[in-house]
Amino acid sequence: MTQIATKFVKWDIPELATLQGDKVYRLRVRLNNGGKLNREEKNWITRNVWESIYFKHGIALSGYHFDFSDVLKRYFVKQYGNIHEYYAIDKTALRSILHGRIEDIVEVTH
C-alpha cells in the first residue's frame, strides 16, 4: 500500500488526518485502495501536477507531498518546433492542459 503523503517541510504543520476532506487526499486514498478515477479526476491530477512548483510527480498541500508517480506516465510533446517533457495520467489528460497545435506526443516507457 502506497503512503498517502509525506511531510516535506521542517516546521510544524497540522496532522495529515486534518486534510481528509481535501480532494487530493481523497483521490490518493482511492488509488491506494485500488479505486478507479473518472475523466475529470484524471484531468484534475494532471493539471495540478503540471502546476506544481515543488514536485514533478506529485501535489503539495499544507506541507505534505502527495505522490502520484505510480499513475503518471512520462510524455514528450512537440509543439511549435520545441519539445517539452510532461507527466500525465494519460494522453487525454495531457491534451486537456495543452493549448494550441500539437505536432506529436510520445509516451516514454522504461
Side-chain angles (χ1 to χ4, degrees):
M1 180 166 150
T2 306
Q3 238 182 319
I4 295 173
T6 55
K7 180 179 173 181
F8 73 95
V9 295
K10 293 182 180 181
W11 54 88
D12 290 336
I13 55 177
E15 291 295 320
L16 182 58
T18 62
L19 302 175
Q20 287 181 354
D22 203 84
K23 187 171 189 170
V24 67
Y25 187 102
R26 292 190 320 266
L27 292 175
R28 183 67 262 176
V29 168
R30 184 181 320 151
L31 287 169
N32 287 356
N33 293 330
K36 301 289 182 188
L37 300 175
N38 64 37
R39 174 55 44 206
E40 184 274 328
E41 293 165 337
K42 290 177 183 179
N43 292 353
W44 187 89
I45 289 172
T46 298
R47 175 167 301 284
N48 281 274
V49 167
W50 176 63
E51 291 174 346
S52 176
I53 60 173
Y54 292 109
F55 305 105
K56 283 179 126 178
H57 307 106
I59 300 169
L61 177 67
S62 299
Y64 289 99
H65 170 234
F66 291 83
D67 185 25
F68 288 94
S69 59
D70 59 321
V71 294
L72 293 172
K73 297 174 186 167
R74 184 177 177 200
Y75 294 96
F76 285 117
V77 177
K78 185 173 183 185
Q79 193 173 26
Y80 305 113
N82 297 309
I83 298 174
H84 297 278
E85 177 185 51
Y86 294 93
Y87 290 89
I89 291 185
D90 56 23
K91 281 186 182 182
T92 303
L94 179 58
R95 286 181 181 276
S96 77
I97 64 169
L98 298 174
H99 300 285
R101 186 175 180 279
I102 299 167
E103 295 174 47
D104 200 13
I105 297 178
V106 177
E107 181 181 341
V108 179
T109 59
H110 16 92

